[in-house]
Amino acid sequence: MSNTVDPEKLKKAPLASKCFMGLGQILFLKQYIRGGLFALVEVVMICCVIFGTKQIIPANKSEYDDMQGLPDTVEMVEYLQDNDYKNVDKIVAARTKAMKSFIENKAVKDINKSIALAEKNLAKANAELEKAQKIYDKAEASGKEKKIDRTSSDLSDAEEAVSTLEDALSELEALKETADENYEAITYDVGSIDELSDSIDAIDTFVYDTENNEIVEIYEKLHLKYDRQLSKAMAAIAVKNYNAELKEVKAGLKGASKEERKEALAEVANEFDEHYDGCDICKKAARKGYRTTAHRAWFWGPLVKSIAGLITLGSKQPTTVTKFMDHSVFMMINGILSLIIIGFFVVLYIININSAKLAVKKILKNNKFPTMQEAKNDISQNAFATIGISPSVVMIAIFSLVPLLFSALVAFTNYSSPDHIPPNNLVDWVGIENFVTMFSTRIGGGEWAKTFGWTAIWTIVWAVFATFTCFFVGFFYAFVLQDKRVVIPGFFRTVYILPYAIPTMLSLFVWANLLNGTIGPINRTLQMIGLIEQPIPWLSHPNVAKFSLIFVNIWIGFPYSMILTTSSMTAISNSLYEAAVIDGATKWQQFKSITYPLVMFQLKPTLIMQFAGNINNFGSVFFLTGGGPNMPQPGLTTTTACGATDLLISWIYKLTMSTPSRYHLASVLSILVFVVLVPFALYNFTRTKSFKEGEL
């Protein structure tokens, strides 16, 4: 390749790079290392899309079981017998032997184990029943009604347990009897197609009645193994006959018109295709000797399949085996990952084009191509930062971006129990229906909208009070303990830090017992000293419970703010205070003009992040009040599962963990929290002096 710099030729480099990543840099710019890396990325992507096309599409576009199971066993045996295939007896005999071994060693053995266990449990239950009967007889003899009622209840429970176990044992014994019958039924005489059909029906009935996924899976694999052998033999004979007939027809069509030849050959092909249900691709494959009810689809690789799955969220599969079912949630996650991979590819593609353009300008400026050493130096200097940060970007995309996008997309589906939980049921896209449910005042009397409004307001109120009370109480104690007149300040700091040092969960459990409205020590003490007559409903009245939450949060949270403030105050130079004293400033003026501004300069970002954290402060609510008590308006808590002290985050938890689970509505709330919280935190954080200046 010539080393002469040709400006007109160099202009083709960005264009060539658009057609194939790195090609323009290799051919026109002689950037072998960088161009080769970009080209490698594109080759990998192309392989993922095209050469990763191993997704099998059912021939009839419907049943997965039909694709895997080849259910026309009887048809294949009959066809092979009609064509005098010699090995059909061996295949059927091997199949019969395998089926007998399967039922005897796997199915029947499992049933016998279950029967033995059921008999053992039944014996224990009968012993418990006899014991309960004796206790009841003694109670009845004593004549004490309470004792009779209690023992009668225990006796009824024991009788019910025995009855349940007897029914289960009866079902297992019936299943064993069916297994024995079907064991005899699978004996098959090759001369009788009807007996083969009855044998298959008998085994199918037994296997699927066990409702055991492991047994079903083993059976389907056995079924498929021998049906494939029959299918291969049938295909070989069918193709041989087809080619012979085709040759004969072609010989008789000499001198015929093009239309006549086409019609005659199509008739032969249609006659052959009668044995091959499915699409045209499958039928053409069968004519070449591939007996199949499935074909491989080009341009249906992992990426394309994942994106298609994200759009459709799967379809109902006629199978009871879980791993063969479409799982809408996994399909959504795979689709999101594929979109992120494509996004990375697009970004790299843009970087590649810009890199080619910059390289053209640099070569024209220097009027020479870079040497290999110069290319290495350029990559090591200019690309080092990008290469170094790439793993972090990838990890963030996988572990942060994927969950965020998944949570957001769930809000536009009907993902909820009991009707839309994969894999037994599919999830569907429903658009903005969930948002309408959450905010409409017309649906269900507007219960969801009212609950959301009250909970959102309480969340903001809680975040404001929880943040500023803890911060300024901590600020106050830190300021007071800085005063030299305080004796042994280290001791007091240690005491004040204790609430923060104890695990928050334990502290909240203790406070929940202290504030118990009936037997709590606080209420009992206040009653004993005569300050109150009736117990204060610390946790059972909506407004009082909210006050209790804020108060307890101060006790738990102020030590953290005190530590931060103390560290900031100790960093302030004493010379500032000495100068203020010389100028005649009072303690208040020193605090207002020196201490407060400098501390807030450093801690304002922390204050903002504490506010954001308190909006999602799940632990305080969950461990102290559990979200209770119920909402003031009757029916709201029952319908929406939200309590009076629930924050949006604890309400989200209840929607996902309670029965029924409402993941779709919880996702709506998550989106709202994210949309409001993140811009607020970022806006306020970027307006702080510490962010703008970056230094003191």
Side-chain angles (χ1 to χ4, degrees):
M1 187 179 289
S2 175
N3 288 323
T4 305
V5 176
D6 185 351
E8 293 301 322
K9 189 176 181 181
L10 289 179
K11 291 179 182 179
K12 299 177 182 179
L15 180 62
S17 295
K18 289 180 181 179
C19 300
F20 190 83
M21 281 185 69
L23 182 63
Q25 302 202 34
I26 294 173
L27 295 179
F28 299 99
L29 304 179
K30 301 184 180 180
Q31 296 283 355
Y32 305 112
I33 299 176
R34 185 169 57 193
L37 290 174
F38 281 123
L40 179 63
V41 171
E42 186 168 44
V43 169
V44 171
M45 181 64 68
I46 291 173
C47 288
C48 288
V49 177
I50 299 179
F51 298 106
T53 55
K54 294 187 178 179
Q55 169 62 22
I56 299 176
I57 309 299
N60 54 11
K61 301 294 190 294
S62 62
E63 295 187 352
Y64 186 91
D65 285 347
D66 282 356
M67 180 188 76
Q68 290 288 351
L70 296 173
D72 51 345
T73 309
V74 175
E75 173 200 340
M76 290 190 288
V77 171
E78 189 173 20
Y79 184 91
L80 291 171
Q81 288 179 342
D82 291 342
N83 285 273
D84 298 325
Y85 182 66
K86 296 179 181 179
N87 292 327
V88 66
D89 295 2
K90 293 181 180 179
I91 296 175
V92 175
R95 183 185 185 279
T96 301
K97 183 178 179 181
M99 292 300 176
K100 282 184 178 180
S101 176
F102 158 69
I103 293 180
E104 186 178 68
N105 297 327
K106 179 61 185 173
V108 175
K109 189 177 289 186
D110 283 359
I111 294 170
N112 287 333
K113 286 181 181 178
S114 300
I115 289 174
L117 181 61
E119 288 175 344
K120 184 178 179 181
N121 292 334
L122 181 59
K124 289 182 180 179
N126 280 321
E128 293 292 332
L129 178 60
E130 290 178 6
K131 184 178 178 181
Q133 183 67 52
K134 290 178 181 179
I135 295 173
Y136 174 74
D137 292 341
K138 288 181 180 179
E140 195 173 26
S142 67
K144 296 180 180 179
E145 292 185 4
K146 290 185 178 179
K147 196 172 182 180
I148 292 172
D149 291 341
R150 186 175 67 254
T151 55
S152 175
S153 176
D154 293 340
L155 181 61
S156 298
D157 292 342
E159 289 174 345
E160 185 177 352
V162 170
S163 177
T164 302
L165 288 169
E166 286 177 344
D167 292 341
L169 184 59
S170 298
E171 290 179 4
L172 287 169
E173 288 174 344
L175 193 59
K176 184 176 185 301
E177 186 178 345
T178 305
D180 294 337
E181 292 174 359
N182 288 314
Y183 178 76
E184 298 299 329
I186 63 175
T187 304
Y188 164 62
D189 179 6
V190 180
S192 173
I193 289 294
D194 292 336
E195 287 185 15
L196 174 61
S197 180
D198 293 341
S199 169
I200 294 172
D201 291 341
I203 302 173
D204 283 347
T205 301
F206 163 68
V207 168
Y208 292 108
D209 280 352
T210 62
E211 298 181 353
N212 185 320
N213 285 346
E214 185 182 0
I215 291 176
V216 170
E217 187 174 345
I218 294 172
Y219 170 68
E220 289 180 346
K221 285 181 179 178
L222 281 174
H223 206 322
L224 181 61
K225 175 183 176 182
Y226 293 101
D227 280 4
R228 278 179 173 166
Q229 292 180 14
L230 295 170
S231 174
K232 186 177 180 181
M234 180 180 176
I237 294 174
V239 171
K240 182 179 178 181
N241 295 339
Y242 168 70
N243 289 332
E245 186 176 356
L246 197 63
K247 185 177 180 181
E248 184 179 345
V249 170
K250 285 181 178 179
L253 288 173
K254 291 181 180 179
S257 65
K258 185 177 180 180
E259 290 297 327
E260 289 175 342
R261 288 177 59 84
K262 185 177 179 181
E263 185 178 345
L265 294 175
E267 186 177 346
V268 177
N270 290 335
E271 183 180 347
F272 174 84
D273 291 342
E274 288 179 1
H275 295 288
Y276 299 87
D277 296 331
C279 64
D280 291 337
I281 295 177
C282 294
K283 292 176 180 178
K284 288 178 181 178
R287 291 179 210 143
K288 294 178 182 178
Y290 303 103
R291 168 59 170 148
T292 179
T293 57
H295 66 84
R296 300 187 185 280
W298 290 102
F299 296 103
W300 191 256
L303 290 179
V304 179
K305 176 189 172 185
S306 298
I307 294 172
L310 178 63
I311 296 171
T312 63
L313 294 183
S315 58
K316 195 69 177 176
Q317 302 294 329
T319 179
T320 57
V321 183
T322 302
K323 73 174 185 178
F324 291 154
M325 295 180 181
D326 282 347
H327 198 297
S328 301
V329 173
F330 293 158
M331 296 175 79
M332 186 184 294
I333 294 172
N334 290 337
I336 293 170
L337 282 170
S338 296
L339 290 177
I340 291 174
I341 291 172
I342 293 172
F344 279 133
F345 178 76
V346 171
V347 170
L348 284 172
Y349 198 89
I350 294 171
I351 292 173
N352 166 56
I353 303 302
N354 292 334
S355 173
K357 290 179 179 178
L358 292 174
V360 168
K361 293 179 181 178
K362 191 173 182 180
I363 292 170
L364 289 174
K365 181 180 178 182
N366 298 330
N367 197 33
K368 72 181 187 70
F369 291 102
T371 64
M372 183 64 74
Q373 186 60 43
E374 288 175 339
K376 290 179 180 179
N377 293 338
D378 180 60
I379 291 176
S380 62
Q381 292 176 12
N382 299 326
F384 176 77
T386 303
I387 295 173
I389 203 173
S390 295
S392 300
V393 174
V394 172
M395 297 294 282
I396 289 172
I398 294 174
F399 295 107
S400 295
L401 190 57
V402 170
L404 281 174
L405 291 176
F406 175 75
S407 299
L409 290 178
V410 168
F412 300 93
T413 69
N414 57 4
Y415 185 22
S416 59
S417 66
D419 298 326
H420 299 284
I421 297 294
N424 292 328
N425 298 292
L426 295 171
V427 177
D428 302 310
W429 295 108
V430 295
I432 61 171
E433 181 180 314
N434 298 323
F435 292 87
V436 174
T437 300
M438 184 61 69
F439 300 117
S440 175
T441 57
R442 298 179 181 179
I443 297 178
E447 293 175 332
W448 288 96
K450 292 176 184 176
T451 303
F452 172 76
W454 288 349
T455 306
I457 292 171
W458 160 237
T459 301
I460 299 299
V461 171
W462 155 262
V464 171
F465 277 93
T467 302
F468 289 99
T469 53
C470 286
F471 183 81
F472 287 108
V473 168
F475 199 138
F476 171 76
Y477 278 103
F479 180 73
V480 170
L481 292 175
Q482 285 289 104
D483 197 308
K484 295 181 180 179
R485 292 172 293 181
V486 176
V487 182
I488 54 174
F491 170 77
F492 288 104
R493 287 195 186 98
T494 303
V495 172
Y496 292 147
I497 289 171
L498 284 177
Y500 181 71
I502 298 172
T504 304
M505 181 182 70
L506 297 178
S507 298
L508 290 169
F509 278 141
V510 171
W511 273 105
N513 289 314
L514 291 174
L515 296 173
N516 186 285
T518 306
I519 60 173
I522 293 178
N523 272 341
R524 295 184 67 179
T525 302
L526 292 176
Q527 285 177 313
M528 287 176 63
I529 62 179
L531 291 180
I532 60 173
E533 294 182 1
Q534 298 296 327
I536 299 173
W538 297 109
L539 303 177
S540 57
H541 186 279
N543 293 330
V544 180
K546 292 175 181 177
F547 167 78
S548 301
L549 262 174
I550 294 172
F551 173 77
V552 173
N553 188 70
I554 294 173
W555 186 82
I556 292 174
F558 88 88
Y560 176 70
S561 297
M562 185 187 73
I563 295 169
L564 290 178
T565 307
T566 301
S567 63
S568 297
M569 291 171 66
T570 54
I572 300 174
S573 175
N574 286 329
S575 60
L576 295 175
Y577 292 104
E578 292 171 358
V581 171
I582 293 172
D583 290 340
T586 64
K587 287 287 185 181
W588 167 250
Q589 289 173 328
Q590 292 176 34
F591 172 79
K592 184 181 68 172
S593 302
I594 299 174
T595 306
Y596 182 77
L598 290 177
V599 169
M600 291 305 295
F601 177 83
Q602 295 182 54
L603 296 186
K604 190 175 287 185
T606 304
L607 186 64
I608 293 169
M609 299 314 293
Q610 282 184 354
F611 178 83
N614 277 318
I615 287 181
N616 291 323
N617 193 341
F618 172 80
S620 296
V621 173
F622 183 78
F623 292 115
L624 185 63
T625 66
N630 290 345
M631 285 281 191
Q633 183 173 327
L636 289 188
T637 299
T638 304
T639 302
T640 64
C642 183
T645 59
D646 268 320
L647 306 178
L648 289 174
I649 186 65
S650 61
W651 188 19
I652 291 170
Y653 173 82
K654 285 185 175 181
L655 288 174
T656 56
M657 300 304 294
S658 61
T659 302
S661 301
R662 303 182 179 97
Y663 301 105
H664 54 320
L665 296 176
S667 182
V668 172
L669 295 176
S670 299
I671 290 175
L672 295 172
V673 172
F674 179 83
V675 168
V676 172
L677 186 60
V678 173
F680 169 82
L682 289 176
Y683 174 75
N684 285 281
F685 181 72
T686 53
R687 288 175 61 85
T688 60
K689 289 184 178 180
S690 56
F691 177 83
K692 293 178 180 178
E693 299 176 14
E695 57 183 12
L696 284 172

